[in-house]
Amino acid sequence: MATLSQSSSTVHGVLYNLAIIMASTLRLEDLGHRMLKELLSVMRVSHGAFVLISKENKIYEVMHEGYVSTPEFDESEIKTLSDQVKLLVFSELQGGRLKDIMLKLGAEVVVYLRTEGENIGLLLLGKKKAHGFYTPYDKQILKILAPEAAVAIQNARSFEEIRRFNVTLEQKISKATEEIRSVNEEVYKKNVELARLSKELSGANEKLKTLDKLKDEFLSLASHELRT
């Protein structure tokens, strides 16, 4: 009874820590890496990855921890795994394509992530360290975690989309502002040029008036001399 109570307490403790991470982390990349580090640590797992897919079943984000080299995932294989509606444990499978794919990906456990009607992606976890195995409590944690993680990831994805939209909008506003500033500078230069030309034109008109006055005076004087 003591062992059962202790294990149940451990499950609640792990889920509580993960809930804190999900509630306090908005950025998708930070959320994925923090959750993976927590899971790998408490479950003593060698490596793990979140493989997120779009509505078109395209991989759009991979967050991983513990891999020796950057993992590569085939979209058709990920789709095959994500079409399953239950927790997949490598040692519990009899054989077939699912087991072959998990072996290729080095995944001991596959957790599907879904919200209401939408496939978010997969959580892949590698083997236990020190030749351990996934206990019923580990599976219980993962089953409880899956829908909560899917919602948290979807929220983080929405936040990321809004953040990227805001960045794009700010860039467009900055570009438009710069273009307006450039136009204003050009208008200012044109106005300065017009003011200069206007001043020169005014000066030329004054000279014409002076010349016209001198002409009148000359004609008047010439007429007087001729009459004389």
Side-chain angles (χ1 to χ4, degrees), residues 63-82:
M63 296 165 285
H64 59 87
E65 290 286 341
Y67 286 83
V68 177
S69 57
T70 302
E72 295 183 2
F73 301 101
D74 180 86
E75 287 183 342
S76 63
E77 293 175 345
I78 293 299
K79 183 181 184 305
T80 299
L81 293 177
S82 63

Side-chain angles (χ1 to χ4, degrees), residues 3-200:
T3 303
L4 180 61
S5 176
Q6 185 178 7
S7 299
S8 179
S9 176
T10 301
V11 170
H12 288 297
V14 173
L15 291 173
Y16 175 79
N17 291 339
L18 289 168
I20 293 297
I21 292 173
M22 288 185 285
S24 62
T25 311
L26 288 175
R27 289 179 62 88
L28 180 60
E29 188 173 351
D30 294 341
L31 175 65
H33 286 291
R34 288 186 64 187
M35 289 179 66
L36 284 172
K37 287 178 180 178
E38 179 70 16
L39 284 171
L40 299 188
S41 175
V42 297
M43 290 187 176
R44 299 187 58 77
V45 176
S46 58
H47 58 270
F50 280 108
V51 183
L52 307 183
I53 60 177
S54 65
K55 293 180 180 179
E56 296 76 26
N57 292 314
K58 300 293 184 182
I59 297 174
Y60 74 89
E61 187 79 39
V62 174
M63 296 165 285
H64 59 87
E65 290 286 341
Y67 286 83
V68 177
S69 57
T70 302
E72 295 183 2
F73 301 101
D74 180 86
E75 287 183 342
S76 63
E77 293 175 345
I78 293 299
K79 183 181 184 305
T80 299
L81 293 177
S82 63
D83 284 341
Q84 308 306 306
V85 293
K86 64 178 182 179
L87 184 77
L88 300 176
V89 181
F90 183 81
S91 59
E92 296 176 0
L93 296 177
Q94 297 300 317
R97 179 162 170 73
L98 290 177
K99 195 161 187 173
D100 291 341
I101 293 173
M102 290 178 68
L103 178 63
K104 177 183 175 182
L105 299 179
E108 185 68 21
V109 171
V110 176
V111 184
Y112 65 95
L113 304 173
R114 283 188 178 87
T115 58
E116 295 180 1
E118 184 174 355
N119 196 350
I120 301 298
L122 299 171
L123 166 61
L124 307 178
L125 295 175
K127 292 182 178 180
K128 286 272 197 169
K129 295 179 180 178
H131 305 289
F133 60 92
Y134 283 86
T135 67
Y137 296 103
D138 292 331
K139 299 172 191 176
Q140 182 183 1
I141 289 172
L142 295 174
K143 288 177 180 178
I144 297 173
L145 172 66
E148 302 299 326
V151 172
I153 288 171
Q154 189 176 51
N155 291 340
R157 183 170 65 180
S158 298
F159 172 81
E160 191 70 17
E161 289 173 354
I162 293 171
R163 188 187 69 82
R164 288 175 181 173
F165 174 77
N166 286 340
V167 170
T168 302
L169 187 60
E170 287 176 0
Q171 291 174 345
K172 289 182 178 179
I173 291 173
S174 177
K175 182 180 179 181
T177 302
E178 186 62 31
E179 289 176 353
I180 291 172
R181 185 182 295 112
S182 178
V183 169
N184 287 339
E185 289 177 356
E186 191 65 27
V187 170
Y188 173 76
K189 290 178 181 178
K190 294 295 183 182
N191 286 337
V192 170
E193 181 68 12
L194 286 172
R196 184 183 65 80
L197 293 174
S198 178
K199 186 177 179 180
E200 290 180 359

Side-chain angles (χ1 to χ4, degrees), residues 214-228:
L214 291 174
K215 181 193 70 174
D216 291 343
E217 291 178 353
F218 173 78
L219 289 175
S220 177
L221 181 61
S223 297
H224 177 74
E225 289 295 329
L226 288 171
R227 285 197 299 272
T228 302

